[in-house]
Amino acid sequence: FTQPNSNWVQVQIDATDALAADNSAVAAAWAWQNLPVLVIDGQLTGGGADATASAATFSRFKNSQYLVQAMLSDAANPDAPALIKPTVVSVRDESLTSKTGGITLEDYAVVVVNDVPQLPTALQNRLADYVRSGHGVWFILGRNTEKSFISEGLQQAGLFHARPNDRQDAAEKPPALDVKDPQNVMVADFTAPEHNILTGMSTMKWWSLRPESPDAQVVLSTDTGDPLVIERKLGSNGGRVVLWATPVDKHAAWNNWP
């Protein structure tokens, strides 16, 4: 498509028969100019949502700095806009739970919940409905995460059921990464035998989890068996929940993943 937003496409076969009407079909398609992504940050301050990706954004949301910079790095060239347009908001911001005039989750292609201690019950339920409608939510666990958020909050909302142990520190030698599902789109481009960029990557600290959702799929784990990346399908519309047991934050020094 040459224009974003609402478009239409027609498919037609080159045939001559008595009923021309069934030789073609028309469908509507929505083309994104960029992919809006909402990052819910564990920073416990208000101040409203920030979509500027400026130095002030990185100063205010230090835990999400590396994550947002990674989202902005996929532009075709330095002058082109990035495909992903992140908006960052504190987990404490009232716009996430306001019934009027607040943030509409459906305005975003994906929601990332980045190292939050807890989520308000109302927001957990909104996220569950959002996933069931066909969207994706990515939960990233880290140093701010409270154990009860994993064992109770996610389970009560029907998002994920996992039994957490205490945060795990690597022994003298950090374990290697074990790709459990090499065809999964999250890792397929990075783990081909000829260019596996995860080779040599280290995980120094992670949340030790035991998935108890029967449909949970472990995508990546330590070679000692602890799941690090887990995916679960939710609902009948293609929605997905992804859980990372180690953060996307270079300052936290939990891993050196690319």
Side-chain angles (χ1 to χ4, degrees), residues 44-203:
L44 300 180
T45 59
D50 188 337
T52 63
S54 63
T57 308
F58 299 140
S59 176
R60 181 180 164 204
F61 297 108
K62 291 183 174 64
N63 284 355
S64 295
Q65 177 180 347
Y66 181 77
L67 180 65
V68 171
Q69 287 177 330
M71 291 180 183
L72 298 173
S73 66
D74 69 341
N77 59 69
D79 298 322
L83 173 63
I84 300 174
K85 182 176 176 57
T87 296
V88 192
V89 64
S90 166
V91 66
R92 279 277 182 87
D93 200 285
E94 293 181 356
S95 63
L96 289 169
T97 53
S98 174
K99 294 182 178 179
T100 58
I103 288 177
T104 302
L105 298 182
E106 286 72 21
D107 289 342
Y108 298 90
V110 176
V111 174
V112 183
V113 182
N114 187 27
D115 193 12
V116 302
Q118 295 280 352
L119 285 178
T121 300
L123 180 55
Q124 290 177 171
N125 294 334
R126 288 186 65 196
L127 287 170
D129 291 340
Y130 172 80
V131 177
R132 291 189 181 96
S133 69
H135 296 88
V137 175
W138 175 16
F139 290 99
I140 303 172
L141 309 182
R143 58 186 174 183
N144 294 320
T145 306
E146 295 181 5
K147 191 174 181 179
S148 60
F149 170 62
I150 307 170
S151 60
E152 299 172 15
L154 294 178
Q155 180 183 356
Q156 288 171 359
L159 287 162
F160 216 99
H161 187 194
R163 188 177 301 277
N165 298 313
D166 293 329
R167 283 182 291 187
Q168 179 72 44
D169 290 321
E172 294 181 4
K173 181 180 179 182
L177 296 178
D178 186 6
V179 181
K180 295 294 188 181
D181 184 7
Q183 303 304 316
N184 190 286
V185 294
M186 286 187 284
V187 297
D189 289 341
F190 311 117
T191 58
E194 64 275 12
H195 55 82
N196 186 349
I197 65 174
L198 298 183
T199 301
M201 294 295 103
S202 298
T203 307

